[in-house]
C-alpha cells in the first residue's frame, strides 16, 4: 500500500534511500564480522595463556574452574567464561598454535562453528579444510555439522576420472573437485535395490538436497533431456550446469555394478551436449557416471580410451549411525548468527 507521503517525494529520493539502506546493511555486517573476529582473538588469547601455564606448571581442571569463577566475578556481564568454554579455548589454541589468528579463516567463523570443528574432527588438516569451506560457502553451524558427518570434503574429488588426459591441467583440477565418490543419497529415504528411473525421479523430486550433495555451483537443467540426432532419439538422465566452472555436466545413473559399455554411452552423451548445447564461452562439458558399485581398475581401463572428460563414482543411501544421527542439531538448537551465547553444561555448542 502506497504511503501518502510518497506523493511529495522529490525526484531521486527513492534511489538514494535504497542506496543508503544497502550501505547501512553492509556496514552493520562488516561491524558484526569485526566484532566476531575480536571475540575469536580473545578466546584464542585466553586459551594460549592457559595452555602455556598447563605445559609449564602442570595445571589441571581445578585451576580452570577457579579461573572461570574469578573471571566471571570480574566480568559479570560477559558470557562464555564457563569452565567448559575455557577448556574449549585451550583446545582451540592448541589446534591453531600459530598466530596471528585473525589472519586465518577460522577467525571468520562464529564460536559455535569452531567448537563443532574441535568436537567432530580428529585431524588438524580436516579442521583447516572445513573451516575454509565454511567461510567460503557461508555454511551455518547445522550445515557444517552435516557436511562433517557426511564426510563431504573427504569424498570431494575422489572419483576416478580421465580429466588429466582430456583437459588442460588447471581445468582438470577444477573438474576433479566436483566429482565425489561415493555420493550419499541418504536423504532420499531409499533402501535395497531400486530401478534407475525411480532413483532419477527421487533425485529430481528432492532437487534441493540433490544439488547440496553434488556441491556448490550446480544448477539443474533437466531430467530425461531429449536430443534428436537425424531422427534417432536420445535422452540424458540428468543435465546440470556448473555456474562456477561455466560448463555443462552430464550425469548418468546406473543402479547396478559398473560395466564398460556405460562409459561408452556417457562418452556419446557428453559429445552430444558439447556439440548441440555448448557455446563458445562455455568450458568443455564433462560427464559423471554414478553407479551402485564399481571396480576401479575396470573403470580406469574404460576411461583410458574415452575421448570425453568423464568420471565414475559410486553412490550410497545408507543412513548415518544412530549415534551420529542423534548428534545432528534440531531446528530448536539453531542460535543467533554470531552464536555468542555461553555454552551450557549439557551441550557446549548451544
Amino acid at each position: 500500500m502506497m504511503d501518502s507521503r510518497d506523493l511529495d517525494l522529490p525526484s531521486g529520493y527513492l534511489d538514494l534511500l535504497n542506496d543508503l539502506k544497502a550501505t547501512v546493511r553492509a556496514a552493520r555486517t562488516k561491524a558484526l564480522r569485526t566484532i566476531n573476529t575480536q571475540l575469536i582473538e580473545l578466546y584464542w588469547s585466553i586459551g594460549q595463556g592457559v595452555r602455556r601455564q598447563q605445559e609449564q606448571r602442570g595445571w589441571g581442571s581445578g585451576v580452570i574452574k577457579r579461573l572461570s569463577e574469578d573471571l566471571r566475578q570480574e566480568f559479570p556481564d560477559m558470557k562464555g567464561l564457563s569452565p567448559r568454554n575455557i577448556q574449549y579455548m585451550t583446545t582451540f589454541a592448541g589446534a591453531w598454535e600459530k598466530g596471528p589468528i585473525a589472519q586465518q579463516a577460522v577467525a571468520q567463523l562464529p564460536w559455535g562453528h569452531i567448537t563443532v570443528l574441535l568436537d567432530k574432527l580428529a585431524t588438524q588438516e580436516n579442521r583447516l579444510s572445513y573451516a575454509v569451506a565454511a567461510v567460503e560457502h557461508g555454511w551455518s553451524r547445522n550445515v557444517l555439522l552435516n557436511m562433517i558427518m557426511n564426510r563431504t570434503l573427504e569424498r570431494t574429488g575422489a572419483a576416478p576420472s580421465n580429466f588429466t588426459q582430456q583437459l588442460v591441467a588447471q581445468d582438470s583440477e577444477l573438474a576433479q573437485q566436483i566429482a565425489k565418490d561415493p555420493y550419499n543419497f541418504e536423504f532420499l529415504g531409499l533402501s535395497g535395490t531400486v530401478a534407475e528411473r525411480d532413483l532419477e525421479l527421487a533425485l529430481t523430486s528432492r532437487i534441493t538436497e540433490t544439488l547440496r550433495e553434488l556441491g556448490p555451483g550446480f544448477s539443474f537443467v533437466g531430467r530425461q533431456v531429449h536430443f534428436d540426432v537425424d531422427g534417432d532419439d536420445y535422452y540424458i538422465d540428468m543435465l546440470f550446469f556448473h555456474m562456477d566452472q561455466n560448463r555443462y555436466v552430464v550425469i548418468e545413473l546406473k543402479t547396478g555394478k559398473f560395466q564398460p559399455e556405460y562409459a561408452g554411452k556417457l562418452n556419446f552423451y557428453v559429445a552430444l551436449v558439447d556439440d548441440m548445447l555448448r557455446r563458445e564461452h562455455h568450458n568443455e562439458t564433462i560427464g559423471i557416471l554414478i553407479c551402485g558399485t564399481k571396480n576401479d581398475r575396470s573403470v580406469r581401463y574404460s576411461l583410458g580410451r574415452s575421448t570425453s572428460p568423464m568420471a565414475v563414482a559410486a553412490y550410497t543411501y545408507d543412513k548415518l549411525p544412530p549415534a551420529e544421527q542423534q548428534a545432528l542439531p534440531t531446528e530448536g538448537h539453531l542460535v543467533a548468527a554470531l552464536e555468542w551465547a555461553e555454552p551450557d553444561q549439557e551441550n557446549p555448542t548451544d
Side-chain angles (χ1 to χ4, degrees):
M1 183 176 181
M2 180 177 291
D3 193 318
S4 59
R5 297 176 301 167
D6 293 347
L7 299 176
D8 301 325
L9 293 178
S11 175
Y13 175 84
L14 291 178
D15 290 338
L16 174 62
L17 178 61
N18 290 331
D19 288 344
L20 292 178
K21 286 179 179 178
T23 300
V24 171
R25 290 192 186 99
R28 290 178 65 184
T29 300
K30 183 177 180 180
L32 289 173
R33 288 176 178 170
T34 300
I35 294 171
N36 179 71
T37 300
Q38 291 174 344
L39 179 72
I40 300 306
E41 283 187 288
L42 172 62
Y43 282 2
W44 184 78
S45 297
I46 293 174
Q48 283 284 62
V50 174
R51 183 168 166 267
R52 280 196 293 266
Q53 292 300 318
Q54 286 179 325
E55 292 176 349
Q56 294 173 10
R57 305 178 186 276
W59 281 8
S61 58
V63 177
I64 290 180
K65 183 178 180 181
R66 174 60 186 273
L67 187 63
S68 170
E69 293 172 353
D70 289 340
L71 286 173
R72 292 167 100 171
Q73 184 174 356
E74 180 68 21
F75 306 103
D77 296 330
M78 183 176 176
K79 296 181 178 180
L81 295 175
S82 67
R84 194 167 191 177
N85 210 34
I86 292 177
Q87 184 59 61
Y88 267 116
M89 297 176 200
T90 306
T91 305
F92 173 45
W96 275 267
E97 295 182 88
K98 296 182 179 179
I101 196 66
Q103 297 180 9
Q104 302 183 48
V106 70
Q108 301 178 49
L109 293 175
W111 181 241
H113 285 58
I114 297 173
T115 60
V116 168
L117 295 174
L118 296 173
D119 280 341
K120 301 301 181 182
L121 295 170
T123 69
Q124 187 62 9
E125 180 181 2
N126 282 345
R127 289 171 184 158
L128 292 172
S129 297
Y130 277 96
V132 169
V135 172
E136 180 181 354
H137 303 302
W139 289 343
S140 69
R141 189 176 65 174
N142 188 38
V143 171
L144 172 62
L145 184 55
N146 276 277
M147 292 295 183
I148 291 173
M149 292 299 190
N150 285 323
R151 301 182 68 253
T152 299
L153 297 187
E154 290 87 337
R155 293 182 289 118
T156 298
S161 72
N162 64 356
F163 293 151
T164 55
Q165 289 77 37
Q166 298 299 328
L167 299 171
V168 296
Q170 184 177 0
D171 212 21
S172 70
E173 292 175 4
L174 290 173
Q176 187 65 49
Q177 288 307 304
I178 65 176
K180 294 181 180 177
D181 187 31
Y183 287 91
N184 189 340
F185 297 150
E186 178 265 333
F187 59 86
L188 298 178
L190 301 174
S191 61
T193 302
V194 297
E196 290 166 9
R197 185 59 58 88
D198 291 337
L199 177 59
E200 178 189 315
L201 287 171
L203 290 170
T204 305
S205 66
R206 302 290 294 274
I207 192 62
T208 300
E209 291 90 339
T210 300
L211 289 171
R212 184 179 298 125
E213 172 59 17
L214 291 177
F218 275 89
S219 177
F220 182 54
V221 177
R223 58 170 291 269
Q224 290 299 304
V225 179
H226 174 247
F227 290 90
D228 183 333
V229 181
D230 293 337
D232 291 336
D233 294 317
Y234 298 98
Y235 297 87
I236 291 176
D237 285 348
M238 304 185 78
L239 182 62
F240 296 84
F241 191 84
H242 199 280
M243 306 299 291
D244 297 337
Q245 297 194 21
N246 193 33
R247 69 170 83 247
Y248 283 102
V249 181
V250 178
I251 291 185
E252 281 291 294
L253 302 171
K254 298 295 180 183
T255 56
K257 186 175 181 179
F258 171 80
Q259 301 297 327
E261 54 265 30
Y262 298 162
K265 187 175 182 180
L266 180 58
N267 184 77
F268 171 75
Y269 284 155
V270 171
L272 198 59
V273 171
D274 230 17
D275 183 62
M276 301 185 73
L277 292 183
R278 179 189 173 198
R279 300 293 181 262
E280 289 185 6
H281 60 280
H282 291 157
N283 291 319
E284 290 183 68
T285 303
I286 67 172
I288 301 176
L289 176 68
I290 303 178
C291 51
T293 59
K294 59 182 173 60
N295 178 316
D296 282 357
R297 189 172 183 183
S298 298
V299 167
R300 296 189 187 282
Y301 277 129
S302 301
L303 294 182
R305 294 302 179 94
S306 297
T307 55
S308 298
M310 302 187 305
V312 177
Y315 71 86
T316 178
Y317 35 71
D318 292 336
K319 291 186 176 296
L320 293 172
E324 293 186 356
Q325 288 187 31
Q326 292 177 4
L328 293 178
T330 64
E331 183 177 353
H333 289 135
L334 298 181
V335 295
L338 292 180
E339 297 174 356
W340 289 355
E342 178 179 359
D344 59 32
Q345 297 303 310
E346 295 297 325
N347 189 343
T349 59
D350 280 356

